[in-house]
Amino acid sequence: MKRSTYRLLVQSEEKSRNILETALYGLFAISAVLTIWQFAEQPAGVPMHRTGTVLEQPGDTRIVS
């Protein structure tokens, strides 16, 4: 009886290892989502009282007539 390498690998696969790998991949995905969510929920560190548009910035405005 001739057995292929692929068939031997499939038959020798450990079922408990597959469950563990699936659980770990799930935990990695959840941790990535939670990390992104954590940074998305943080307030921006930009001091808004010092930023402004050109119209709000003090300057020397002269009207020439």
Side-chain angles (χ1 to χ4, degrees):
M1 175 186 255
K2 183 179 176 184
R3 293 189 176 194
S4 68
T5 306
Y6 178 74
R7 184 174 177 183
L8 288 172
L9 285 172
V10 169
Q11 288 177 351
S12 69
E13 238 177 75
E14 298 176 18
K15 300 301 179 192
S16 63
R17 192 179 115 209
N18 286 339
I19 294 170
L20 180 63
E21 286 178 356
T22 304
L24 284 175
Y25 287 138
L27 286 175
F28 289 146
I30 290 171
S31 69
V33 168
L34 289 177
T35 302
I36 293 169
W37 188 11
Q38 174 188 0
F39 283 108
E41 291 291 318
Q42 283 184 350
V46 178
M48 295 305 250
H49 64 279
R50 292 192 306 181
T51 59
T53 62
V54 176
L55 297 175
E56 295 174 346
Q57 291 178 353
D60 190 15
T61 308
R62 295 184 185 159
I63 300 175
V64 179
S65 47

